[in-house]
Amino acid sequence: MNFEEFKEIVVSHAKSNSQDAFTENRKDIRVKKEKTVVKNLERIFEATLKIGNEKGFHAMSMRDLSEETGLSMGALYAYFKSKENLLVMLQRNGRDSFQQILEQSVTEEAGPLENLKIVIKTHLFMSEAMLPRFYFTYMEGKNLNKDEKKIAVEHEMTSDGIFTDILKQGEKLQVFKPHNHELTTAVIKAMLNDWYLKRWKYAKLNVSVDEYAEYLLRVVEGFCLAQPQP
Amino acid sequence: MNFEEFKEIVVSHAKSNSQDAFTENRKDIRVKKEKTVVKNLERIFEATLKIGNEKGFHAMSMRDLSEETGLSMGALYAYFKSKENLLVMLQRNGRDSFQQILEQSVTEEAGPLENLKIVIKTHLFMSEAMLPRFYFTYMEGKNLNKDEKKIAVEHEMTSDGIFTDILKQGEKLQVFKPHNHELTTAVIKAMLNDWYLKRWKYAKLNVSVDEYAEYLLRVVEGFCLAQPQP
DNA sequence: GTCTATACACAGATAGAC
DNA sequence: GTCTATCTGTGTATAGAC
């Protein structure tokens, strides 16, 4: 699997993003016509990601957002009840679709090594396909309130669990070396996150997402595989 | 070298932080008595890091800072000419001392493997000793203006260069495998940064900084060493 | 559903007394 | 050097017309 092949899966999923956001946040959204909501919510999310990644969510004013979306301030507030609420909607929405896709990527039939490769590539390709979303979610996570922060941490632990389970199963089947698999997961995640956190660096190094995927896999295999490969 | 041993080097360096900041920013600082400046600048920096890491630099008001430092708003503005200027001072100051220490850690006498171990540990231990600073510098880097961002990127490329040079030298001496060493540096940095970016995770895993250091070294050795170790 | 106009709280910054 | 008091712009959010 390379990025080009993967892209279609994500794009089809991404379409349903604002749809999901509508059903999840119905009670906070004053506008009732679903078609209108889906259309405008998509514009609002996109604009928020754009401005938010340029100058930070807190520094983005509602006037900025109004200008970028083409909607008036009054209209904007028909789609969320406060600026903070908008942040929460965006974050939840992003995390949910991420988790869904990641969970679906693992298969019972595949062996541990194959599954590990799949989740690493899925994670990486998803971040590539939705760069602004991932960057925003990472950077603005700290601006969430206490409860939402807790939810965010739980989500991350769940997705870490997917990796860790694969590693543990691999150890049992003697495909992988015994290690502190939670820690291995942590460093794999660190390398995966770096791809969207340090765009300028990888652009400068002229590395494609497919090349980065192969590189990561070699690093991980070098450390995890019980029998080193040729 | 473990963290306990390393700590003293950093702490002695850290003392000179606000001293350096004074000499570097003399023209923007209205107060003239060096002793006063050093003392108050330290309080201001510390308070900024604290509040900034809690709610973000942009969300920190000057009234917040005034309360935390015990200085009035008027007094604060005697130490920097604008809020943005304060951010720039803090970032520059942090980067400079970081770079100094990292550059000094490499020695001509040591071999590539030893030097690689040293820079990794130095980087990691420094971030551990100055956690709030590192977290702040990473998270607030995107709020810098264009010129300062450029300087920040150049600094990171310089410190990446230290790692890459060691790796290249190691390849020449056939201690390390041939690889894309820039890319290897990037992923090592990613793992190093994760230590201060994801505090909650490593706290939950109950991993000490010394354990993390050993773990990273094993990952890196597994990937880089020409002759795998027993 | 969307607009314009506006409320009013709070931001960064400075003047001038001490 | 440090304070208090204050200026002025901008922030989020809403009311009410269309």
Side-chain angles (χ1 to χ4, degrees):
Chain A
M1 177 176 65
N2 65 21
F3 179 60
E4 204 53 47
E5 292 160 27
F6 177 82
K7 218 163 150 184
E8 289 158 41
I9 310 174
V10 185
V11 171
S12 63
H13 252 273
K15 291 274 177 214
S16 62
N17 259 350
S18 36
Q19 189 95 27
D20 292 348
F22 173 58
T23 34
E24 287 290 326
N25 300 283
R26 218 179 213 119
K27 71 179 196 311
D28 292 331
I29 299 175
R30 210 163 56 225
V31 181
K32 289 303 159 207
K33 257 171 70 186
E34 174 160 347
K35 223 175 160 179
T36 316
V37 177
V38 170
K39 185 191 73 186
N40 282 337
L41 222 44
E42 200 159 304
R43 275 163 71 187
I44 293 168
F45 282 177
E46 199 182 333
T48 307
L49 292 177
K50 185 184 167 191
I51 308 169
N53 285 344
E54 276 165 8
K55 51 159 101 171
F57 180 75
H58 197 270
M60 174 192 82
S61 73
M62 297 312 284
R63 288 180 179 92
D64 291 339
L65 188 60
S66 164
E67 201 175 336
E68 182 72 31
T69 55
L71 289 163
S72 69
M73 304 253 307
L76 286 177
Y77 275 91
Y79 293 90
F80 45 81
K81 61 179 209 281
S82 70
K83 195 186 172 191
E84 200 206 338
N85 181 234
L86 168 62
L87 176 62
V88 170
M89 274 173 60
L90 240 176
Q91 290 255 359
R92 283 192 185 172
N93 187 241
R95 285 195 301 262
D96 287 349
S97 65
F98 167 70
Q99 194 140 313
Q100 247 182 52
I101 298 180
L102 198 67
E103 272 168 3
Q104 287 172 7
S105 73
V106 187
T107 59
E108 294 275 333
E109 302 85 46
L113 179 58
E114 193 53 35
N115 265 331
L116 186 61
K117 285 183 182 177
I118 288 173
V119 288
I120 287 178
K121 283 193 174 180
T122 304
H123 195 302
L124 187 66
F125 291 162
M126 207 166 357
S127 70
E128 172 72 8
M130 319 199 298
L131 264 171
R133 253 205 141 76
F134 272 71
Y135 187 82
F136 184 88
T137 304
Y138 193 101
M139 284 309 209
E140 302 299 341
K142 69 173 161 53
N143 296 333
L144 293 168
N145 63 45
K146 225 177 143 187
D147 288 348
E148 286 297 323
K149 232 178 226 163
K150 210 181 145 194
I151 296 176
V153 165
E154 278 161 9
H155 269 250
E156 176 148 2
M157 291 198 314
T158 306
S159 85
D160 279 15
I162 297 176
F163 284 74
T164 308
D165 287 346
I166 294 172
L167 291 167
K168 283 182 177 164
Q169 206 208 339
E171 180 184 343
K172 217 184 331 183
L173 297 175
Q174 297 186 309
V175 180
F176 297 142
K177 286 186 200 155
H179 277 310
N180 181 339
H181 299 306
E182 280 85 5
L183 208 42
T184 307
T185 297
V187 299
I188 292 175
K189 280 281 195 88
M191 294 187 282
L192 286 169
N193 289 338
D194 209 53
W195 177 254
Y196 59 85
L197 292 173
K198 295 276 179 189
R199 282 316 308 143
W200 62 267
K201 191 184 280 190
Y202 296 104
K204 186 162 283 193
L205 292 179
N206 203 23
V207 180
S208 76
V209 66
D210 287 313
E211 286 163 351
Y212 192 70
E214 290 309 318
Y215 203 81
L216 277 200
L217 288 176
R218 278 202 284 156
V219 174
V220 173
E221 285 171 3
F223 182 64
C224 292
L225 278 184
Q227 268 119 352
Q229 296 206 311
Chain B
M1 176 176 66
N2 64 21
F3 179 60
E4 205 53 47
E5 292 162 26
F6 177 83
K7 218 165 150 183
E8 289 157 42
I9 310 173
V10 185
V11 171
S12 64
H13 252 273
K15 291 272 177 217
S16 62
N17 260 350
S18 38
Q19 190 93 29
D20 292 349
F22 173 58
T23 33
E24 287 290 329
N25 300 282
R26 223 183 207 116
K27 69 177 197 313
D28 292 331
I29 299 175
R30 212 162 56 224
V31 181
K32 288 302 159 208
K33 258 172 65 186
E34 175 161 348
K35 224 176 159 177
T36 315
V37 177
V38 170
K39 187 191 71 182
N40 281 336
L41 222 44
E42 201 160 304
R43 276 162 70 188
I44 293 169
F45 282 178
E46 200 182 332
T48 307
L49 292 177
K50 186 184 165 191
I51 308 170
N53 285 344
E54 276 165 6
K55 52 161 103 169
F57 180 75
H58 193 99
M60 174 192 82
S61 72
M62 298 311 286
R63 286 169 181 90
D64 290 339
L65 188 60
S66 164
E67 200 174 337
E68 182 72 30
T69 54
L71 290 163
S72 70
M73 304 252 305
L76 285 176
Y77 276 91
Y79 293 91
F80 44 81
K81 60 180 209 285
S82 70
K83 195 186 171 190
E84 200 205 340
N85 181 235
L86 168 61
L87 177 62
V88 170
M89 274 173 62
L90 240 175
Q91 291 254 0
R92 281 192 187 172
N93 187 242
R95 285 195 300 262
D96 287 349
S97 65
F98 167 72
Q99 194 141 314
Q100 246 182 52
I101 299 180
L102 198 67
E103 272 168 2
Q104 287 172 7
S105 72
V106 187
T107 59
E108 294 275 334
E109 302 87 44
L113 179 59
E114 194 54 35
N115 265 333
L116 185 62
K117 284 183 182 178
I118 288 173
V119 288
I120 287 178
K121 283 193 175 181
T122 303
H123 195 300
L124 188 66
F125 291 163
M126 208 166 355
S127 70
E128 172 71 9
M130 318 200 298
L131 265 172
R133 251 202 143 76
F134 272 70
Y135 187 82
F136 184 89
T137 305
Y138 194 100
M139 284 309 209
E140 302 299 341
K142 70 175 159 55
N143 297 332
L144 293 167
N145 62 45
K146 222 175 146 188
D147 287 349
E148 287 296 324
K149 230 177 229 163
K150 207 179 148 194
I151 296 176
V153 164
E154 277 162 9
H155 269 250
E156 176 148 2
M157 291 199 313
T158 307
S159 84
D160 279 15
I162 297 176
F163 284 74
T164 307
D165 287 348
I166 294 172
L167 290 167
K168 283 181 178 165
Q169 205 208 340
E171 179 184 342
K172 217 184 329 184
L173 297 174
Q174 297 185 309
V175 180
F176 297 142
K177 285 183 200 157
H179 277 310
N180 181 338
H181 298 306
E182 280 86 5
L183 209 42
T184 307
T185 296
V187 299
I188 292 174
K189 280 282 195 87
M191 295 188 281
L192 287 168
N193 289 338
D194 208 53
W195 177 254
Y196 60 85
L197 292 173
K198 295 275 177 185
R199 283 314 310 141
W200 62 268
K201 190 184 280 191
Y202 296 103
K204 186 162 282 194
L205 292 180
N206 204 24
V207 180
S208 76
V209 66
D210 286 314
E211 285 162 352
Y212 193 70
E214 290 309 319
Y215 204 81
L216 277 199
L217 289 176
R218 277 202 284 156
V219 175
V220 173
E221 285 172 1
F223 183 65
C224 292
L225 277 183
Q227 267 118 355
Q229 294 206 312

